[in-house]
Every structure is written in structure tokens, then in C-alpha cells.
Amino acid sequence: MADVSGLKRGKILVGGSSSAASSFLPVAVQTFKSKHPGIEVVLKIERSESLERKLIEGELDAAIMGRHPRSPVLKAQSYREDEIVAIAPPHHPLVKRRSVPLNLVARQPLIANGTDSYVRQLVEKRFAELGLPYVPALEVTDQMSGEAIKSAVASGLGIGFITKCHVLSELRAGKLAALKVPDLKLKRTMYFVVHKKRQSSLLIRTFVGFLKTAEPPRES
């Protein structure tokens, strides 16, 4: 007990959605472990629905989720907001345009997440608000759908929609490009989530506190 309270030893099970896992969470976990070498951190990547269930059942100690949890036994704190962007191959003709109307994007082949994806739900809602059809040419439903969407877009199969933090490295490397779509206007909030009965744990509080102070990824 003394070792755990002093953060010399211990284990924490952390969950992350695919967007968090592909951008900042693995680096943050490694940095935390370097500061607390006696603490074992196990990172599990799942969809938000699965993360919520595992938090409730005690299979995870904390998670970063891409939507607010539904269960009242979980406590969520807003962590950061990130833009949802339309991505295209770097040589796509729309990339050169200073402004791309969403109705023009709607005429392109669209690559979409599965219908249970929160990003897809937000994008579909925005299309509907503007009276535009949303008819995907390709639908990706696997757990790591973000990676599949990036690969499909890079291969020239169409335009995709993705959380910007998920694609920063590809944008910086010039492998993908973000279209300038002023009327998209979508952001996604990520949340720290813990079980209310376990939120007083010093280990969990220390880890969550560390993530709050960790520098989030930014576009260069």
C-alpha cells in the first residue's frame, strides 16, 4: 500500500478511442511511464462503446473517449476539442482551391465510417442541415476504420472525413491534404472518463492530471 500511494509501484489499465490512440495517447503513456518507471501502464484501443462498458465492469481504470459516456456511474471531464476535416489525396483538384463548398464535396466519391461511428453521425447531420445527400461510395466498418479511411483516401478512392488529430502526421508529410470547407464546421470533444467509485484513486488521479498538463499535438 505504501508503494502504491507513493507511486513507486502499481498498474493502471487505460483505454483510448482510435483517434486518441493514433495521435497523442501512446506518446503520453510512454512519457508518463518514464516519469513513473515503477508504474505499469497497459493501453487498450477500442471503440467508445466498448471503453464505456469496460470502465463500468472494472476492466479499465481510465479512458479517453470521443464522446460523452451515457452511463451515470461514469464521470467525464472535457479534455480537448478537435476539428473534423475532409481529407483528399494531395494531388486532388479540390486541394488547390482556397474554399470548397460542401455541396461540391458531396458530389465526390465519399469514404465513410460505419453507421455506428460518431464522426459519421456528425457528418451526416451536417449534410442533412444543408440539404445535401450523403451517399458513401465506400464504407469502412472495422475497429481501426480511421487507418482504413486514410489508406483509401491516399489511394485516390475518394474524400473522407476524420478527426484532425488522427491525420496530423500524414498532413505534415504531404501524404494527405485537408480541404478548406468553411461550411463543414464540425468539432469533436474528447473526454477523460473514470468510474465514479474509483476516481479517488491516487494512481488514477495522477495519470489523469498528467494527461491534462501534457502538450496535445498541434499542426505545424
Side-chain angles (χ1 to χ4, degrees):
M1 288 295 292
D3 282 343
V4 174
S5 64
L7 292 180
K8 295 178 182 178
R9 295 173 58 191
K11 180 178 181 179
I12 183 169
L13 303 174
V14 180
S17 64
S18 59
S19 292
S22 68
S23 51
F24 59 90
L25 192 52
V27 175
V29 165
Q30 288 301 318
T31 304
F32 179 83
K33 291 168 68 174
S34 69
K35 293 178 180 294
H36 304 281
I39 305 300
E40 180 184 359
V41 183
V42 178
L43 179 60
K44 297 185 177 183
I45 309 307
E46 312 245 359
R47 290 188 180 274
S48 292
E49 294 81 0
S50 179
L51 295 176
E52 183 169 346
R53 176 181 58 79
K54 290 188 175 183
L55 284 165
I56 294 170
E57 296 175 356
E59 297 178 33
L60 290 174
D61 297 307
I64 292 185
M65 293 169 45
R67 63 166 176 78
H68 198 283
R70 298 184 177 93
S71 174
V73 305
L74 300 178
K75 179 180 178 180
Q77 303 176 55
S78 177
Y79 174 43
R80 61 173 301 204
E81 277 192 337
D82 205 1
E83 181 184 1
I84 293 174
V85 294
I87 56 172
H91 301 299
H92 194 285
L94 293 182
V95 172
K96 297 180 180 180
R97 298 185 60 148
R98 293 183 178 180
S99 179
V100 183
L102 194 59
N103 61 4
L104 186 54
V105 176
R107 300 188 201 124
Q108 307 295 316
L110 300 179
I111 302 170
N113 307 80
T115 54
D116 60 341
S117 161
Y118 188 55
V119 169
R120 174 166 176 171
Q121 291 166 14
L122 290 175
V123 171
E124 282 189 320
K125 181 180 178 181
R126 185 59 181 153
F127 270 64
E129 289 171 348
L130 297 177
L132 298 173
Y134 184 80
V135 184
L138 176 64
E139 185 174 284
V140 180
T141 59
D142 64 280
Q143 182 172 315
M144 297 303 288
S145 60
E147 296 302 314
I149 286 175
K150 289 191 291 185
S151 177
V153 171
S155 299
L157 299 181
I159 304 282
F161 297 90
I162 199 166
T163 309
K164 194 170 187 177
C165 71
H166 202 159
V167 75
L168 281 180
S169 61
E170 288 83 2
L171 295 178
R172 289 169 179 155
K175 296 179 179 178
L176 292 170
L179 301 180
K180 302 176 181 67
V181 189
D183 50 357
L184 188 58
K185 296 179 182 177
L186 291 177
K187 290 189 175 181
R188 183 176 190 174
T189 302
M190 289 190 175
Y191 298 89
F192 293 113
V193 186
V194 296
H195 197 292
K196 289 180 179 178
K197 289 185 177 180
R198 294 188 287 276
Q199 62 180 319
S200 60
S201 161
L202 177 59
L203 185 53
I204 293 175
R205 286 191 289 112
T206 301
F207 182 76
V208 172
F210 166 79
L211 287 181
K212 286 182 180 180
T213 60
E215 181 69 18
R218 300 186 185 279
E219 186 177 6
S220 57

